[in-house]
Amino acid sequence: MNRRDIMSSLQSEDKKALLNRLSRIEGQVRGLARMIEEDKYCIDILTQIAASRGALKNVGLKVLQRHVEGCVSDAIQNGNTEEVVPELLDTVNRFVD
């Protein structure tokens, strides 16, 4: 069975909370576009960009946490470290700025 065929570690309450956060981030990004259209002060725009990036990073950290607690943990317990450990390391490397 392919690792992508395994069910996600995200539970319904996690999904709901993450989708709510993403909706707020989407609103922040739309607000950023409005700020640019309205020629708002550059520092204010940059502040909002930083806030949006931080919010998106928090969503990513939650997904990563659930992945480690669920998918990675299960794979290690089943002795399937050959594929999951390099994948996890690659993911963490891409995720870290």
Side-chain angles (χ1 to χ4, degrees), residues 25 28-29 31-33 35-36 40-56:
I25 294 166
Q28 283 180 300
V29 172
L32 278 165
M35 290 176 78
I36 291 171
K40 297 294 183 184
Y41 186 53
C42 295
I43 298 302
D44 293 339
I45 294 169
L46 292 169
T47 299
Q48 289 305 309
I49 289 171
S52 297
R53 288 183 66 202
L56 196 54

Side-chain angles (χ1 to χ4, degrees), residues 58-72:
N58 286 334
V59 169
L61 286 172
K62 185 65 168 182
V63 173
L64 181 60
Q65 175 188 356
R66 291 299 186 213
H67 178 63
V68 170
E69 291 172 348
C71 301
V72 173

